[in-house]
Amino acid sequence: MTGICSQIKPGWDGAPISMLGEAIALASTPIPLVLFLATAIAIRFRSQWGALALVVIWSFYVAFLTILDPGAAFASARIEGCIGSPTLFIAAVAAICVGMILYTAPNEARKT
């Protein structure tokens, strides 16, 4: 185990992480869990403004995972194998955001 993986995932056993494994790992961290709960609340109350705010927050979180890689740490860890590709998680978040916007749309927009 090299430097970056020992810092990011101390208990990593050396096996490469799959996209599904990375999606589960990302979804089970505290920030997405709070966002999932807030998303459920916005959907329950059909809050358009809440859905919009959550889409923006989800977008910032996904941008942090992909674009805002501090010191190319995540890219190095992906090369070493202790972090998988976040593509599946990002696709799931995008689907949730699209569904949330469509579900909370005004009734006139849903009739057409």
Side-chain angles (χ1 to χ4, degrees), residues 44-64:
R44 166 62 180 94
F45 293 109
R46 283 190 186 239
S47 171
Q48 292 175 321
W49 290 106
L52 177 64
L54 284 166
V55 167
V56 170
I57 294 169
W58 274 117
S59 299
F60 280 127
Y61 183 70
V62 167
F64 172 74

Side-chain angles (χ1 to χ4, degrees), residues 50-102:
L52 177 64
L54 284 166
V55 167
V56 170
I57 294 169
W58 274 117
S59 299
F60 280 127
Y61 183 70
V62 167
F64 172 74
L65 291 177
T66 56
I67 300 168
L68 304 175
D69 186 3
F74 296 146
S76 299
R78 276 189 208 103
I79 291 169
E80 292 181 22
C82 62
I83 291 182
S85 174
T87 305
L88 185 60
F89 178 76
I90 293 169
V93 167
I96 289 169
C97 289
V98 168
M100 188 170 34
I101 292 296
L102 292 176

Side-chain angles (χ1 to χ4, degrees), residues 34-47 50 54 100:
V34 169
L35 289 174
F36 286 134
L37 179 63
T39 298
I41 292 169
I43 288 173
R44 166 62 180 94
F45 293 109
R46 283 190 186 239
S47 171
L54 284 166
M100 188 170 34

